[in-house]
Amino acid sequence: MKYLTYLSERFPPQQFLLLAGLLAAVTGACVQGAAFGGINSWPAVLAAALALLFFLFRLRLFDELKDYAHDRRFYPQRPLQRGLVSTRDIKLLIFITLAGEIAVAVWAGAIPFAYFAASLAYSLLMFKEFFAPAWLRSRFTLYIFLHELLAIPLFFYAASMQAPSGRLYADPLAWALVLFLGFQLFFLEIARKMRPPELENAARDTYTAQYGVRGASILLVLAAAAALKLGWFASGDDNRYLAALPAFVYFGYSILIFSRRRDARSSKAVFNTAVAYFTLLNAAAIWAALA
């Protein structure tokens, strides 16, 4: 029961199943669609979804240990800090999750396993905060940039499960797809950490605390626009992809409302519309890629 409570609070299954499932589906549609004219292997799509789900969960578990002191000070209500689970429980979950990751990577083959190994190694560097935690945490922009780079080996890993053997890293379409997926995770992360001034705390670990409401709003719009543009190329420049445009406009409108009202309700609306935009953006990319 404690693990279910932990999941519901720190890794809601319904949200992350949607996240991993859509990211894997659009990866399969774009890569397999370009190579075979359609989905040739659904097991490869499922394997990518499992790989992404396991990977994202392990990152959450790593953060629980890495940020323990920080969260104990600023977020004492979280499950680990209030004693619902222990650090031993977290380490056990890491071991189980990593075993699942390795099993999927071995099943996928040598090339995907190499990408998995690269993404695992980089995530371990992140866990150690590149061996300069105090220095890095005082440089928020660099800290975020280094963490976002993980998307490159991670999504090449997912893409390599879908493609025939070859130099995927030399394919412009693959790079567009990887960056498309990476910018989606980025705008979801920004939207999750947009708060009105009255809800900020001394941790100052949100984008609004670091860049101000206006600066964070501009960054969020740019990330959402970059994802829109990259998805157009990754899905084959098909006009069906334009179905995502109204969702982008509505997302931008919700950001504008928050930048003016700056209250809890409008900040929550930004995250909700970010999820809706993410969903429709990927649906449009899948539709276009398989057309």
Side-chain angles (χ1 to χ4, degrees), residues 46-200:
L46 178 59
L50 284 173
L52 292 172
L53 188 65
F54 284 146
F55 199 95
L56 292 170
F57 184 45
R58 180 170 52 77
L59 286 185
R60 163 58 64 206
L61 296 170
F62 274 6
D63 284 348
E64 295 285 13
L65 299 180
K66 176 173 65 71
D67 299 334
Y68 177 79
H70 174 274
D71 290 350
R72 188 174 183 180
R73 179 181 178 188
F74 296 110
Y75 302 101
Q77 75 281 7
R78 289 180 175 173
L80 180 59
Q81 282 64 37
R82 71 172 189 263
L84 175 68
V85 293
S86 66
T87 55
R88 183 176 181 180
D89 293 326
I90 299 298
K91 290 174 182 177
L92 175 62
L93 289 174
I94 290 173
F95 177 80
I96 294 170
T97 305
L98 185 56
E101 288 185 85
I102 293 172
V104 172
V106 169
W107 175 87
I111 293 175
F113 190 88
Y115 283 117
F116 164 70
S119 57
L120 174 61
Y122 196 83
S123 71
L124 291 170
L125 281 175
M126 287 169 49
F127 177 65
K128 299 300 293 183
E129 296 195 309
F130 301 92
F131 301 98
W135 183 87
L136 192 57
R137 281 180 177 265
S138 66
R139 292 159 175 81
F140 184 80
T141 301
L142 178 61
Y143 182 89
I144 294 302
F145 175 75
L146 290 175
H147 280 64
E148 294 305 318
L149 285 179
L150 176 62
I152 294 175
L154 175 61
F155 289 126
F156 266 113
Y157 170 41
S160 67
M161 294 180 176
Q162 320 302 319
S165 300
R167 300 197 312 165
L168 194 64
Y169 59 84
D171 185 350
L173 178 69
W175 275 100
L177 174 64
V178 165
L179 294 175
F180 171 53
L181 301 178
F183 271 104
Q184 289 188 77
L185 287 188
F186 188 39
F187 77 62
L188 286 173
E189 176 69 6
I190 299 170
R192 189 174 69 87
K193 294 184 177 181
M194 296 275 281
R195 293 180 192 160
E198 67 269 19
L199 294 183
E200 299 284 10

